[in-house]
Amino acid sequence: MPLEQVQRYLTAYLRNPEFRRRVRGGMREQAEREMCLDTADTDLVRKISLDDLDRAAGGLRDERQTKREAEFKQFTDNLACFGPVSNFFEEFDAEYPEGLLSRPLEMDRFLDFSTKFVLNHGLPDYLLDLLRFCYYYVKVSDMPRDRSTAVLEELPPGGLQPHHRLRLRRPYRVVAFRYDVLWLAQSPPSPGLAMTPPNPTELLIQKNWARFKQTVALRTSELPFYRGLADGPASIIDLISMGSPADYSWAVAHLQELFQRGVLEVPLDG
Amino acid sequence: MTNTNTATTVPEPKHQFGAGYLYHYHPSYQDYAPRLAEAGGRVDIYEVLGVQFNSEPDAIETFAASLEKPVTLHSFEYCLGNVQRPPEKVTGRIQELARRSKAAYIGEHLAMMGTRDTYCGGFFQPPGTDEQTRVIIDNVKAAKNNSVCPVIVENPSQFYNEVGGRTIGRQMKEVAEAADVGILLSLSNITISERFRPQDREAFLAEIPLQRVRQLHALCGNQAEERMQGMEQSRREQEWIISMLQQLARSPALQPAAVIFELEAGTPSMAEPERLRDFMDMARDLYFRDGKQRAA
């Protein structure tokens, strides 16, 4: 179908900078032949102003950049300390001139491209931690809430009891970083951050059930009972039994607080 | 007496909902809603974007239910202008979202999205050829005939000089009449054309069969930002939008089901809640007061 070829041609022109350069640079007929345009198709596409198409391509690329900047804000803000981000995005856009533009696909492409960019340009490696932090933060926020089992919706009148089994609310990911990436993400972007010494940190990145498309990121080192929960549900008494009985009240209060914040839940599956 | 003339028949949905806004599934909108309520804002219908629920379709059900008002679902994944059709799982997902949200209707873009495997990057203006128009009509009919709710089609922005023998307006008219569907008239998209190929707005609007317009889209930008230096164009576009809403309301043929405001399209920040409140009240006064409502 001729229209199909016309649409392929327009799509290639809008998405592919190299294709645009060839059309503009004297190889228009070759590009039209590649797209199998017949005479009528060629007549049609040649009526379309190339200046208009160039403007459209630029606008669509800017929109793509805006979306990726929103998803990877801490990474791109810090990347900007080491060079023009616009150049970076031009290269990213040129690297992926095909394919659908759904968020999952684009985020994977962005992760791949950015990793290679940081390494190939010899940029500070803390940028890789920020990149991964942004990636997991958004990925987890997009995941569906796990409602596969019934859970206790509210605290019982007497609060949580020793027999109550707790588990981490899903979905979540536990990710190890070379740096204290939470501190990096919250620091104003600066080339000076490149001097930050490594500080291996493990984060629990968990979907926030109360907020649309948001995630909670907690240092597992600040969750005293994380190790007891890492392998699955555990009762309160099992979680706190390794500690001193003197700490029992504090421990229950801490776990109860995590329950009320939505970090933990009590499954009702026996 | 039943009017069987498709050129004058009011397509579905015939029910009038009122005024509302595009509620992005995003924390900033979650924070905005109570501020709007506190400012006295009254919402009759919400628009939600289907793509924001693709990864968690069950969330649209609880979200829509929490709004306690009708919902209209917005989509682009039907790719109505494309020759190559999207996979059935994609259109099936849109229908599932419409079903779960009990959507009053699905608003789709009358646009070329690219090919089946490669998106062009935006809601691109289709060429105005006979073949392109037939493709769109066939795609709209197929979507409409397999939908849990009515489908309406939205005008694209103008990106390039109109080619193929049809203007954007004429193509919209032909598609809407041949497929017998309603139109989502986006005044916002007309203003977006300014960034690419400025549209002859009067000529475009003159070609739209107003009796088929089921929904009006309009910008509602941040008033404080519009007053800043460098934002003159945004302010002018906002003034144009208000002026057009008032002007179009004078046409007896135009009786939309809903007027939907978009809060971030014209300015970086969302509109002040008070402004949205006032815009929705204005839209209700223009289009949904007793004298203006369609007879049952």
Side-chain angles (χ1 to χ4, degrees):
Chain A
M1 285 184 67
L3 179 62
E4 192 170 329
Q5 315 317 323
V6 168
Q7 292 187 346
R8 283 182 60 232
Y9 178 94
L10 289 175
T11 302
Y13 194 94
L14 291 170
R15 282 286 304 273
N16 192 332
E18 194 268 336
F19 188 84
R20 285 197 293 278
R21 268 192 293 277
R22 288 198 288 132
V23 170
R24 283 287 206 178
M27 299 175 71
R28 188 172 199 170
E29 285 182 11
Q30 181 186 350
E32 289 162 351
R33 274 197 304 275
E34 278 173 22
M35 291 291 168
C36 305
L37 298 187
D38 65 19
T39 308
D41 301 335
T42 304
D43 287 345
L44 178 69
V45 300
R46 287 195 179 209
K47 288 190 172 86
I48 300 176
S49 159
L50 287 181
D51 287 345
D52 287 350
L53 289 183
D54 285 345
R55 202 174 300 115
L60 297 176
R61 190 191 63 234
D62 290 346
E63 277 185 37
R64 194 180 190 187
Q65 174 174 343
T66 300
K67 287 175 184 168
R68 302 291 85 75
E69 283 180 319
E71 291 150 5
F72 291 89
K73 180 171 169 48
Q74 286 78 9
F75 170 74
T76 55
D77 284 351
N78 277 273
L79 185 67
C81 297
F82 302 98
V85 170
S86 55
N87 292 356
F88 166 84
F89 273 104
E90 268 187 41
E91 288 185 35
F92 169 72
D93 187 62
E95 180 76 9
Y96 301 101
E98 293 175 346
L100 301 184
L101 294 170
S102 65
R103 180 143 102 167
L105 293 173
E106 281 281 88
M107 287 191 64
D108 286 351
R109 290 176 190 130
F110 192 86
L111 180 76
D112 293 347
F113 178 82
S114 302
T115 302
K116 292 172 198 166
F117 188 90
V118 170
L119 295 173
N120 292 342
H121 288 80
L123 296 176
D125 66 344
Y126 83 95
L127 291 171
L128 293 177
D129 265 13
L130 284 173
L131 174 69
R132 291 169 63 236
F133 171 73
C134 295
Y135 177 82
Y136 284 109
Y137 187 99
V138 174
K139 280 280 187 178
V140 171
S141 77
D142 279 343
M143 291 177 180
R145 293 167 179 81
D146 184 344
R147 299 178 199 270
S148 54
T149 52
V151 298
L152 199 65
E153 294 293 338
E154 289 174 0
L155 274 181
L160 293 178
Q161 301 300 313
H163 78 275
H164 279 127
R165 288 162 66 246
L166 292 168
R167 72 177 178 202
L168 290 165
R169 199 172 224 183
R170 293 174 294 203
Y172 65 86
R173 289 289 181 272
V174 179
V175 187
F177 295 91
R178 186 166 150 76
Y179 296 88
D180 182 350
V181 72
L182 268 188
W183 179 84
L184 286 172
Q186 290 161 354
S187 300
S190 155
L193 290 180
M195 306 307 294
T196 306
N199 181 4
T201 304
E202 187 180 68
L203 291 187
L204 169 71
I205 298 176
Q206 184 185 51
K207 187 175 178 85
N208 186 332
W209 281 47
R211 301 280 291 164
F212 302 158
K213 298 289 189 189
Q214 265 197 344
T215 307
V216 171
L218 301 168
R219 297 180 182 86
T220 58
S221 61
E222 294 170 3
L223 298 170
F225 303 105
Y226 165 71
R227 293 295 158 210
L229 291 165
D231 294 329
S235 67
I236 287 184
I237 191 62
D238 285 346
L239 284 173
I240 68 176
S241 62
M242 300 307 291
S244 161
D247 296 328
Y248 179 86
S249 295
W250 173 87
V252 172
H254 170 71
L255 291 170
Q256 207 152 260
E257 191 218 340
L258 291 179
F259 173 89
Q260 287 171 309
R261 281 168 56 187
V263 176
L264 302 178
E265 61 186 8
V266 175
L268 298 176
D269 55 358
Chain B
M1 186 169 82
T2 303
N3 185 348
T4 57
N5 180 350
T6 57
T8 56
T9 299
V10 174
E12 292 187 87
K14 296 184 172 64
H15 176 77
Q16 286 190 305
F17 297 93
Y21 67 101
L22 167 55
Y23 192 144
H24 281 277
Y25 192 57
H26 187 273
S28 59
Y29 282 74
Q30 197 173 6
D31 295 334
Y32 186 87
R35 291 171 55 211
L36 178 65
E38 207 175 298
R42 183 166 62 93
V43 182
D44 303 310
I45 182 168
Y46 292 92
E47 183 183 36
V48 300
L49 299 186
V51 70
Q52 292 177 340
F53 296 90
N54 278 354
S55 64
E56 43 178 339
D58 61 324
I60 202 173
E61 202 163 334
T62 46
F63 173 63
S66 73
L67 296 174
E68 297 182 338
K69 290 288 180 183
V71 155
T72 170
L73 185 72
H74 202 64
S75 167
F76 61 81
E77 292 181 288
Y78 267 103
C79 302
L80 293 177
N82 286 19
V83 171
Q84 293 179 352
R85 305 311 302 133
E88 212 173 286
K89 68 177 182 182
V90 170
T91 53
R93 183 174 60 203
I94 300 167
Q95 286 297 311
E96 182 63 14
L97 292 175
R99 187 188 65 77
R100 283 178 179 256
S101 60
K102 299 187 172 67
Y105 45 125
I106 297 171
E108 258 287 349
H109 286 265
L110 201 154
M112 186 204 83
M113 303 299 297
T115 67
R116 184 185 174 105
D117 301 318
T118 297
Y119 273 176
C120 66
F123 315 128
F124 204 62
Q125 167 194 348
T129 62
D130 291 346
E131 186 182 2
Q132 174 71 85
T133 307
R134 270 199 310 274
V135 162
I136 298 170
I137 290 168
D138 289 346
N139 290 344
V140 171
K141 282 181 174 174
K144 165 191 168 183
N145 292 338
N146 293 284
S147 181
V148 298
C149 59
V151 173
I152 61 174
V153 291
E154 179 178 6
N155 52 298
S157 296
Q158 185 164 356
F159 287 90
Y160 57 91
N161 53 312
E162 289 163 316
V163 300
R166 276 177 193 75
T167 60
I168 296 172
R170 183 180 151 201
Q171 191 173 60
M172 285 283 302
K173 178 180 189 296
E174 286 185 22
V175 167
E177 289 175 354
D180 193 19
V181 291
I183 289 174
L184 190 169
L185 179 57
S186 173
L187 300 178
S188 311
N189 282 355
I190 297 172
T191 67
I192 288 171
S193 303
E194 282 303 300
R195 302 180 209 166
F196 302 104
R197 180 86 182 198
Q199 211 167 356
D200 184 336
R201 302 183 183 190
E202 275 190 34
F204 167 75
L205 288 168
E207 292 184 299
I208 299 299
L210 292 180
Q211 70 279 4
R212 286 196 169 269
V213 173
R214 307 280 70 235
Q215 188 183 101
L216 279 167
H217 264 199
L219 302 176
C220 179
N222 184 285
Q223 191 168 30
E225 283 181 359
E226 281 172 13
R227 290 177 178 147
M228 291 177 180
Q229 199 173 7
M231 297 295 285
E232 293 79 11
Q233 178 67 15
S234 292
R235 189 169 61 246
R236 276 195 294 272
E237 294 293 11
Q238 185 69 79
E239 288 165 359
W240 179 82
I241 292 272
I242 298 303
S243 161
M244 284 318 302
L245 285 175
Q246 293 166 339
Q247 191 176 313
L248 289 169
R250 294 186 204 118
S251 167
L254 177 55
Q255 298 202 20
V259 177
I260 301 289
F261 291 98
E262 294 155 321
L263 306 187
E264 291 175 278
T267 51
S269 301
M270 294 163 73
E272 297 88 341
E274 293 77 13
R275 197 184 209 199
L276 175 60
R277 173 199 66 200
D278 294 343
F279 275 27
M280 289 192 293
D281 285 345
M282 173 194 64
R284 270 187 286 269
D285 190 53
L286 285 172
Y287 291 100
F288 305 109
R289 67 180 188 279
D290 287 342
K292 184 75 174 174
Q293 281 173 358
R294 188 183 312 115

Short mmCIF file of all heavy atoms in Angstrom, two decimals, chain B residues 65 99 132 195 236 272 291:
data_model
loop_
_atom_site.label_atom_id
_atom_site.label_comp_id
_atom_site.label_asym_id
_atom_site.label_seq_id
_atom_site.Cartn_x
_atom_site.Cartn_y
_atom_site.Cartn_z
N ALA B 65 -12.93 5.19 40.72
CA ALA B 65 -13.98 5.11 41.75
C ALA B 65 -13.79 6.20 42.80
O ALA B 65 -14.75 6.79 43.30
CB ALA B 65 -13.96 3.73 42.40
N ARG B 99 -13.29 -0.19 30.42
CA ARG B 99 -14.26 -0.97 31.18
C ARG B 99 -14.07 -0.78 32.67
O ARG B 99 -14.99 -0.52 33.42
CB ARG B 99 -14.13 -2.45 30.79
CG ARG B 99 -15.21 -3.36 31.40
CD ARG B 99 -14.89 -4.83 31.12
NE ARG B 99 -13.68 -5.29 31.75
CZ ARG B 99 -13.57 -5.59 33.04
NH1 ARG B 99 -14.61 -5.47 33.86
NH2 ARG B 99 -12.41 -6.01 33.54
N GLN B 132 -5.51 8.27 2.76
CA GLN B 132 -5.32 8.48 4.20
C GLN B 132 -6.67 8.65 4.89
O GLN B 132 -6.90 8.10 5.97
CB GLN B 132 -4.43 9.69 4.45
CG GLN B 132 -4.29 10.07 5.92
CD GLN B 132 -3.46 9.09 6.73
OE1 GLN B 132 -2.23 9.15 6.78
NE2 GLN B 132 -4.13 8.16 7.40
N ARG B 195 3.87 26.46 17.31
CA ARG B 195 5.28 26.09 17.46
C ARG B 195 5.82 25.44 16.18
O ARG B 195 7.03 25.32 16.00
CB ARG B 195 5.45 25.08 18.59
CG ARG B 195 4.96 25.54 19.93
CD ARG B 195 5.18 24.44 20.96
NE ARG B 195 4.20 24.51 22.02
CZ ARG B 195 3.98 23.54 22.90
NH1 ARG B 195 4.66 22.41 22.85
NH2 ARG B 195 3.06 23.68 23.85
N ARG B 236 -1.24 35.40 25.49
CA ARG B 236 -2.10 35.64 24.32
C ARG B 236 -2.92 34.40 23.96
O ARG B 236 -4.09 34.48 23.63
CB ARG B 236 -1.25 36.05 23.11
CG ARG B 236 -0.89 37.52 23.06
CD ARG B 236 -0.39 37.90 21.68
NE ARG B 236 0.88 37.23 21.38
CZ ARG B 236 2.08 37.73 21.69
NH1 ARG B 236 2.17 38.88 22.33
NH2 ARG B 236 3.19 37.09 21.37
N GLU B 272 -3.49 27.93 39.00
CA GLU B 272 -3.94 28.10 40.37
C GLU B 272 -5.33 27.46 40.54
O GLU B 272 -6.15 27.57 39.62
CB GLU B 272 -4.04 29.59 40.72
CG GLU B 272 -2.71 30.34 40.66
CD GLU B 272 -2.39 30.91 39.28
OE1 GLU B 272 -2.99 30.43 38.28
OE2 GLU B 272 -1.53 31.79 39.19
N GLY B 291 -30.82 27.14 29.87
CA GLY B 291 -31.27 27.56 28.55
C GLY B 291 -30.49 26.96 27.41
O GLY B 291 -30.94 26.91 26.27
#
